[in-house]
PDB file of all heavy atoms in Angstrom:
ATOM      1  N   ILE A  72     125.918 139.687 202.671  1.00 96.00           N
ATOM      2  CA  ILE A  72     127.113 140.427 202.257  1.00 96.00           C
ATOM      3  C   ILE A  72     127.586 141.228 203.473  1.00 96.00           C
ATOM      4  O   ILE A  72     126.809 141.977 204.068  1.00 96.00           O
ATOM      5  CB  ILE A  72     126.804 141.372 201.076  1.00 96.00           C
ATOM      6  CG1 ILE A  72     126.242 140.562 199.897  1.00 96.00           C
ATOM      7  CG2 ILE A  72     128.066 142.133 200.668  1.00 96.00           C
ATOM      8  CD1 ILE A  72     125.745 141.412 198.744  1.00 96.00           C
ATOM      9  N   TYR A  73     128.848 141.036 203.848  1.00 95.00           N
ATOM     10  CA  TYR A  73     129.400 141.773 204.984  1.00 95.00           C
ATOM     11  C   TYR A  73     129.367 143.267 204.672  1.00 95.00           C
ATOM     12  O   TYR A  73     129.404 143.670 203.509  1.00 95.00           O
ATOM     13  CB  TYR A  73     130.852 141.353 205.238  1.00 95.00           C
ATOM     14  CG  TYR A  73     131.004 140.014 205.908  1.00 95.00           C
ATOM     15  CD1 TYR A  73     131.360 138.892 205.181  1.00 95.00           C
ATOM     16  CD2 TYR A  73     130.787 139.883 207.277  1.00 95.00           C
ATOM     17  CE1 TYR A  73     131.490 137.656 205.799  1.00 95.00           C
ATOM     18  CE2 TYR A  73     130.923 138.647 207.907  1.00 95.00           C
ATOM     19  CZ  TYR A  73     131.274 137.539 207.159  1.00 95.00           C
ATOM     20  OH  TYR A  73     131.398 136.318 207.773  1.00 95.00           O
ATOM     21  N   PRO A  74     129.321 144.084 205.747  1.00 95.00           N
ATOM     22  CA  PRO A  74     129.310 145.535 205.515  1.00 95.00           C
ATOM     23  C   PRO A  74     130.485 146.001 204.640  1.00 95.00           C
ATOM     24  O   PRO A  74     130.370 146.989 203.929  1.00 95.00           O
ATOM     25  CB  PRO A  74     129.410 146.116 206.935  1.00 95.00           C
ATOM     26  CG  PRO A  74     128.800 145.058 207.810  1.00 95.00           C
ATOM     27  CD  PRO A  74     129.163 143.747 207.168  1.00 95.00           C
ATOM     28  N   ASP A  75     131.606 145.264 204.649  1.00 95.00           N
ATOM     29  CA  ASP A  75     132.727 145.668 203.792  1.00 95.00           C
ATOM     30  C   ASP A  75     132.639 145.112 202.379  1.00 95.00           C
ATOM     31  O   ASP A  75     133.560 145.290 201.583  1.00 95.00           O
ATOM     32  CB  ASP A  75     134.070 145.287 204.434  1.00 95.00           C
ATOM     33  CG  ASP A  75     134.296 143.771 204.454  1.00 95.00           C
ATOM     34  OD1 ASP A  75     133.421 143.021 203.970  1.00 95.00           O
ATOM     35  OD2 ASP A  75     135.347 143.341 204.950  1.00 95.00           O
ATOM     36  N   GLY A  76     131.541 144.443 202.053  1.00 96.00           N
ATOM     37  CA  GLY A  76     131.317 144.004 200.676  1.00 96.00           C
ATOM     38  C   GLY A  76     131.589 142.523 200.410  1.00 96.00           C
ATOM     39  O   GLY A  76     131.222 141.999 199.357  1.00 96.00           O
ATOM     40  N   ARG A  77     132.244 141.824 201.356  1.00 96.00           N
ATOM     41  CA  ARG A  77     132.555 140.424 201.102  1.00 96.00           C
ATOM     42  C   ARG A  77     131.295 139.570 201.048  1.00 96.00           C
ATOM     43  O   ARG A  77     130.405 139.717 201.884  1.00 96.00           O
ATOM     44  CB  ARG A  77     133.510 139.871 202.170  1.00 96.00           C
ATOM     45  CG  ARG A  77     134.959 140.288 201.938  1.00 96.00           C
ATOM     46  CD  ARG A  77     135.849 139.788 203.051  1.00 96.00           C
ATOM     47  NE  ARG A  77     135.366 140.304 204.331  1.00 96.00           N
ATOM     48  CZ  ARG A  77     135.283 139.563 205.431  1.00 96.00           C
ATOM     49  NH1 ARG A  77     135.627 138.303 205.421  1.00 96.00           N
ATOM     50  NH2 ARG A  77     134.833 140.106 206.546  1.00 96.00           N
ATOM     51  N   VAL A  78     131.257 138.681 200.080  1.00 95.00           N
ATOM     52  CA  VAL A  78     130.087 137.838 199.887  1.00 95.00           C
ATOM     53  C   VAL A  78     130.237 136.568 200.719  1.00 95.00           C
ATOM     54  O   VAL A  78     131.297 135.966 200.748  1.00 95.00           O
ATOM     55  CB  VAL A  78     129.958 137.435 198.398  1.00 95.00           C
ATOM     56  CG1 VAL A  78     128.776 136.493 198.193  1.00 95.00           C
ATOM     57  CG2 VAL A  78     129.807 138.680 197.543  1.00 95.00           C
ATOM     58  N   CYS A  79     129.173 136.190 201.403  1.00 91.00           N
ATOM     59  CA  CYS A  79     129.243 135.004 202.240  1.00 91.00           C
ATOM     60  C   CYS A  79     128.145 134.027 201.836  1.00 91.00           C
ATOM     61  O   CYS A  79     127.024 134.099 202.314  1.00 91.00           O
ATOM     62  CB  CYS A  79     129.089 135.411 203.703  1.00 91.00           C
ATOM     63  SG  CYS A  79     129.357 134.041 204.821  1.00 91.00           S
ATOM     64  N   ILE A  80     128.463 133.149 200.886  1.00 90.00           N
ATOM     65  CA  ILE A  80     127.507 132.102 200.510  1.00 90.00           C
ATOM     66  C   ILE A  80     128.238 130.772 200.498  1.00 90.00           C
ATOM     67  O   ILE A  80     129.453 130.711 200.360  1.00 90.00           O
ATOM     68  CB  ILE A  80     126.840 132.369 199.124  1.00 90.00           C
ATOM     69  CG1 ILE A  80     127.893 132.660 198.063  1.00 90.00           C
ATOM     70  CG2 ILE A  80     125.833 133.499 199.229  1.00 90.00           C
ATOM     71  CD1 ILE A  80     127.317 132.774 196.661  1.00 90.00           C
ATOM     72  N   SER A  81     127.460 129.713 200.625  1.00 88.00           N
ATOM     73  CA  SER A  81     128.079 128.402 200.878  1.00 88.00           C
ATOM     74  C   SER A  81     129.011 127.962 199.755  1.00 88.00           C
ATOM     75  O   SER A  81     130.033 127.343 200.013  1.00 88.00           O
ATOM     76  CB  SER A  81     127.003 127.351 201.125  1.00 88.00           C
ATOM     77  OG  SER A  81     126.280 127.104 199.944  1.00 88.00           O
ATOM     78  N   ILE A  82     128.687 128.290 198.507  1.00 90.00           N
ATOM     79  CA  ILE A  82     129.502 127.799 197.395  1.00 90.00           C
ATOM     80  C   ILE A  82     130.912 128.389 197.420  1.00 90.00           C
ATOM     81  O   ILE A  82     131.843 127.849 196.831  1.00 90.00           O
ATOM     82  CB  ILE A  82     128.813 128.052 196.027  1.00 90.00           C
ATOM     83  CG1 ILE A  82     129.454 127.179 194.945  1.00 90.00           C
ATOM     84  CG2 ILE A  82     128.856 129.517 195.647  1.00 90.00           C
ATOM     85  CD1 ILE A  82     128.761 127.255 193.605  1.00 90.00           C
ATOM     86  N   LEU A  83     131.099 129.493 198.148  1.00 91.00           N
ATOM     87  CA  LEU A  83     132.430 130.084 198.261  1.00 91.00           C
ATOM     88  C   LEU A  83     133.229 129.487 199.420  1.00 91.00           C
ATOM     89  O   LEU A  83     134.337 129.925 199.704  1.00 91.00           O
ATOM     90  CB  LEU A  83     132.330 131.603 198.430  1.00 91.00           C
ATOM     91  CG  LEU A  83     131.852 132.372 197.203  1.00 91.00           C
ATOM     92  CD1 LEU A  83     131.633 133.828 197.529  1.00 91.00           C
ATOM     93  CD2 LEU A  83     132.855 132.239 196.066  1.00 91.00           C
ATOM     94  N   HIS A  84     132.653 128.490 200.067  1.00 86.00           N
ATOM     95  CA  HIS A  84     133.356 127.840 201.168  1.00 86.00           C
ATOM     96  C   HIS A  84     133.551 126.363 200.897  1.00 86.00           C
ATOM     97  O   HIS A  84     132.668 125.699 200.370  1.00 86.00           O
ATOM     98  CB  HIS A  84     132.565 127.984 202.478  1.00 86.00           C
ATOM     99  CG  HIS A  84     132.542 129.390 202.981  1.00 86.00           C
ATOM    100  ND1 HIS A  84     133.571 129.909 203.721  1.00 86.00           N
ATOM    101  CD2 HIS A  84     131.645 130.379 202.810  1.00 86.00           C
ATOM    102  CE1 HIS A  84     133.297 131.174 204.010  1.00 86.00           C
ATOM    103  NE2 HIS A  84     132.135 131.495 203.467  1.00 86.00           N
ATOM    104  N   ALA A  85     134.723 125.872 201.289  1.00 76.00           N
ATOM    105  CA  ALA A  85     134.978 124.436 201.201  1.00 76.00           C
ATOM    106  C   ALA A  85     134.203 123.745 202.315  1.00 76.00           C
ATOM    107  O   ALA A  85     133.846 124.380 203.301  1.00 76.00           O
ATOM    108  CB  ALA A  85     136.467 124.178 201.340  1.00 76.00           C
ATOM    109  N   PRO A  86     133.942 122.434 202.169  1.00 67.00           N
ATOM    110  CA  PRO A  86     133.235 121.753 203.255  1.00 67.00           C
ATOM    111  C   PRO A  86     134.102 121.757 204.508  1.00 67.00           C
ATOM    112  O   PRO A  86     135.322 121.684 204.415  1.00 67.00           O
ATOM    113  CB  PRO A  86     133.058 120.329 202.745  1.00 67.00           C
ATOM    114  CG  PRO A  86     133.868 120.205 201.539  1.00 67.00           C
ATOM    115  CD  PRO A  86     134.347 121.531 201.103  1.00 67.00           C
ATOM    116  N   GLY A  87     133.496 121.840 205.651  1.00 61.00           N
ATOM    117  CA  GLY A  87     134.262 121.890 206.899  1.00 61.00           C
ATOM    118  C   GLY A  87     134.584 123.331 207.247  1.00 61.00           C
ATOM    119  O   GLY A  87     134.640 123.706 208.401  1.00 61.00           O
ATOM    120  N   ASP A  88     134.731 124.141 206.212  1.00 61.00           N
ATOM    121  CA  ASP A  88     135.005 125.558 206.383  1.00 61.00           C
ATOM    122  C   ASP A  88     133.628 126.209 206.560  1.00 61.00           C
ATOM    123  O   ASP A  88     132.988 126.606 205.618  1.00 61.00           O
ATOM    124  CB  ASP A  88     135.714 126.019 205.098  1.00 61.00           C
ATOM    125  CG  ASP A  88     135.852 127.518 205.014  1.00 61.00           C
ATOM    126  OD1 ASP A  88     135.431 128.208 205.955  1.00 61.00           O
ATOM    127  OD2 ASP A  88     136.367 127.982 203.997  1.00 61.00           O
ATOM    128  N   ASP A  89     133.186 126.245 207.782  1.00 59.00           N
ATOM    129  CA  ASP A  89     131.764 126.417 208.033  1.00 59.00           C
ATOM    130  C   ASP A  89     131.444 127.537 209.023  1.00 59.00           C
ATOM    131  O   ASP A  89     130.806 127.307 210.036  1.00 59.00           O
ATOM    132  CB  ASP A  89     131.242 125.081 208.600  1.00 59.00           C
ATOM    133  CG  ASP A  89     129.759 124.918 208.394  1.00 59.00           C
ATOM    134  OD1 ASP A  89     129.130 125.836 207.852  1.00 59.00           O
ATOM    135  OD2 ASP A  89     129.236 123.868 208.799  1.00 59.00           O
ATOM    136  N   PRO A  90     131.919 128.743 208.732  1.00 58.00           N
ATOM    137  CA  PRO A  90     131.783 129.785 209.743  1.00 58.00           C
ATOM    138  C   PRO A  90     130.336 130.148 210.060  1.00 58.00           C
ATOM    139  O   PRO A  90     130.045 130.604 211.163  1.00 58.00           O
ATOM    140  CB  PRO A  90     132.509 130.974 209.114  1.00 58.00           C
ATOM    141  CG  PRO A  90     132.466 130.719 207.652  1.00 58.00           C
ATOM    142  CD  PRO A  90     132.518 129.246 207.495  1.00 58.00           C
ATOM    143  N   MET A  91     129.437 129.942 209.131  1.00 62.00           N
ATOM    144  CA  MET A  91     128.072 130.386 209.361  1.00 62.00           C
ATOM    145  C   MET A  91     127.134 129.241 209.717  1.00 62.00           C
ATOM    146  O   MET A  91     125.937 129.423 209.743  1.00 62.00           O
ATOM    147  CB  MET A  91     127.549 131.090 208.103  1.00 62.00           C
ATOM    148  CG  MET A  91     128.371 132.284 207.711  1.00 62.00           C
ATOM    149  SD  MET A  91     128.663 133.378 209.119  1.00 62.00           S
ATOM    150  CE  MET A  91     127.952 134.858 208.471  1.00 62.00           C
ATOM    151  N   GLY A  92     127.667 128.073 209.953  1.00 58.00           N
ATOM    152  CA  GLY A  92     126.800 126.942 210.282  1.00 58.00           C
ATOM    153  C   GLY A  92     125.814 126.648 209.170  1.00 58.00           C
ATOM    154  O   GLY A  92     124.624 126.500 209.397  1.00 58.00           O
ATOM    155  N   TYR A  93     126.342 126.588 207.947  1.00 58.00           N
ATOM    156  CA  TYR A  93     125.455 126.282 206.825  1.00 58.00           C
ATOM    157  C   TYR A  93     124.812 124.931 207.026  1.00 58.00           C
ATOM    158  O   TYR A  93     125.377 124.050 207.656  1.00 58.00           O
ATOM    159  CB  TYR A  93     126.252 126.191 205.517  1.00 58.00           C
ATOM    160  CG  TYR A  93     126.953 127.430 205.128  1.00 58.00           C
ATOM    161  CD1 TYR A  93     128.319 127.423 204.939  1.00 58.00           C
ATOM    162  CD2 TYR A  93     126.256 128.613 204.946  1.00 58.00           C
ATOM    163  CE1 TYR A  93     128.988 128.565 204.568  1.00 58.00           C
ATOM    164  CE2 TYR A  93     126.914 129.752 204.588  1.00 58.00           C
ATOM    165  CZ  TYR A  93     128.282 129.729 204.400  1.00 58.00           C
ATOM    166  OH  TYR A  93     128.934 130.848 204.044  1.00 58.00           O
ATOM    167  N   GLU A  94     123.678 124.776 206.409  1.00 57.00           N
ATOM    168  CA  GLU A  94     123.079 123.448 206.405  1.00 57.00           C
ATOM    169  C   GLU A  94     123.989 122.532 205.600  1.00 57.00           C
ATOM    170  O   GLU A  94     124.615 122.956 204.642  1.00 57.00           O
ATOM    171  CB  GLU A  94     121.712 123.502 205.724  1.00 57.00           C
ATOM    172  CG  GLU A  94     120.670 124.200 206.572  1.00 57.00           C
ATOM    173  CD  GLU A  94     119.403 124.396 205.782  1.00 57.00           C
ATOM    174  OE1 GLU A  94     118.982 123.434 205.129  1.00 57.00           O
ATOM    175  OE2 GLU A  94     118.865 125.508 205.829  1.00 57.00           O
ATOM    176  N   THR A  95     124.027 121.259 205.980  1.00 57.00           N
ATOM    177  CA  THR A  95     124.923 120.350 205.266  1.00 57.00           C
ATOM    178  C   THR A  95     124.505 120.169 203.819  1.00 57.00           C
ATOM    179  O   THR A  95     125.293 119.767 202.985  1.00 57.00           O
ATOM    180  CB  THR A  95     124.936 118.961 205.934  1.00 57.00           C
ATOM    181  OG1 THR A  95     123.584 118.575 206.136  1.00 57.00           O
ATOM    182  CG2 THR A  95     125.672 118.989 207.247  1.00 57.00           C
ATOM    183  N   SER A  96     123.252 120.472 203.523  1.00 60.00           N
ATOM    184  CA  SER A  96     122.785 120.255 202.159  1.00 60.00           C
ATOM    185  C   SER A  96     123.196 121.381 201.206  1.00 60.00           C
ATOM    186  O   SER A  96     123.072 121.257 200.005  1.00 60.00           O
ATOM    187  CB  SER A  96     121.266 120.120 202.144  1.00 60.00           C
ATOM    188  OG  SER A  96     120.694 121.310 202.637  1.00 60.00           O
ATOM    189  N   ALA A  97     123.713 122.481 201.768  1.00 69.00           N
ATOM    190  CA  ALA A  97     124.059 123.601 200.904  1.00 69.00           C
ATOM    191  C   ALA A  97     125.215 123.234 199.989  1.00 69.00           C
ATOM    192  O   ALA A  97     126.092 122.470 200.345  1.00 69.00           O
ATOM    193  CB  ALA A  97     124.433 124.810 201.750  1.00 69.00           C
ATOM    194  N   GLU A  98     125.190 123.799 198.794  1.00 77.00           N
ATOM    195  CA  GLU A  98     126.226 123.481 197.824  1.00 77.00           C
ATOM    196  C   GLU A  98     127.557 124.117 198.205  1.00 77.00           C
ATOM    197  O   GLU A  98     127.622 125.298 198.476  1.00 77.00           O
ATOM    198  CB  GLU A  98     125.802 123.961 196.439  1.00 77.00           C
ATOM    199  CG  GLU A  98     126.722 123.470 195.374  1.00 77.00           C
ATOM    200  CD  GLU A  98     126.016 123.380 194.023  1.00 77.00           C
ATOM    201  OE1 GLU A  98     125.069 124.129 193.780  1.00 77.00           O
ATOM    202  OE2 GLU A  98     126.435 122.551 193.228  1.00 77.00           O
ATOM    203  N   ARG A  99     128.609 123.299 198.222  1.00 84.00           N
ATOM    204  CA  ARG A  99     129.922 123.780 198.638  1.00 84.00           C
ATOM    205  C   ARG A  99     130.856 123.898 197.465  1.00 84.00           C
ATOM    206  O   ARG A  99     130.604 123.389 196.396  1.00 84.00           O
ATOM    207  CB  ARG A  99     130.525 122.787 199.634  1.00 84.00           C
ATOM    208  CG  ARG A  99     129.787 122.706 200.918  1.00 84.00           C
ATOM    209  CD  ARG A  99     129.507 124.106 201.438  1.00 84.00           C
ATOM    210  NE  ARG A  99     128.910 124.049 202.739  1.00 84.00           N
ATOM    211  CZ  ARG A  99     129.597 123.824 203.834  1.00 84.00           C
ATOM    212  NH1 ARG A  99     130.879 123.644 203.775  1.00 84.00           N
ATOM    213  NH2 ARG A  99     129.002 123.777 204.987  1.00 84.00           N
ATOM    214  N   TRP A 100     132.003 124.530 197.745  1.00 92.00           N
ATOM    215  CA  TRP A 100     133.020 124.608 196.711  1.00 92.00           C
ATOM    216  C   TRP A 100     133.628 123.245 196.461  1.00 92.00           C
ATOM    217  O   TRP A 100     133.890 122.475 197.386  1.00 92.00           O
ATOM    218  CB  TRP A 100     134.134 125.574 197.114  1.00 92.00           C
ATOM    219  CG  TRP A 100     135.183 125.596 196.060  1.00 92.00           C
ATOM    220  CD1 TRP A 100     136.391 124.966 196.079  1.00 92.00           C
ATOM    221  CD2 TRP A 100     135.074 126.211 194.779  1.00 92.00           C
ATOM    222  NE1 TRP A 100     137.047 125.168 194.889  1.00 92.00           N
ATOM    223  CE2 TRP A 100     136.260 125.914 194.074  1.00 92.00           C
ATOM    224  CE3 TRP A 100     134.082 126.969 194.151  1.00 92.00           C
ATOM    225  CZ2 TRP A 100     136.475 126.378 192.768  1.00 92.00           C
ATOM    226  CZ3 TRP A 100     134.302 127.424 192.859  1.00 92.00           C
ATOM    227  CH2 TRP A 100     135.482 127.125 192.187  1.00 92.00           C
ATOM    228  N   SER A 101     133.844 122.912 195.202  1.00 93.00           N
ATOM    229  CA  SER A 101     134.643 121.748 194.843  1.00 93.00           C
ATOM    230  C   SER A 101     135.363 122.127 193.556  1.00 93.00           C
ATOM    231  O   SER A 101     134.960 123.072 192.875  1.00 93.00           O
ATOM    232  CB  SER A 101     133.762 120.514 194.638  1.00 93.00           C
ATOM    233  OG  SER A 101     133.255 120.491 193.323  1.00 93.00           O
TER     234      SER A 101
END
Side-chain angles (χ1 to χ4, degrees):
Chain A
I72 303 173
Y73 284 102
D75 70 0
R77 282 177 302 137
V78 177
C79 187
I80 51 173
S81 68
I82 197 174
L83 290 173
H84 291 277
D88 170 2
D89 203 358
M91 301 311 238
Y93 299 122
E94 288 172 46
T95 49
S96 61
E98 189 154 28
R99 294 312 186 78
W100 178 258
S101 85

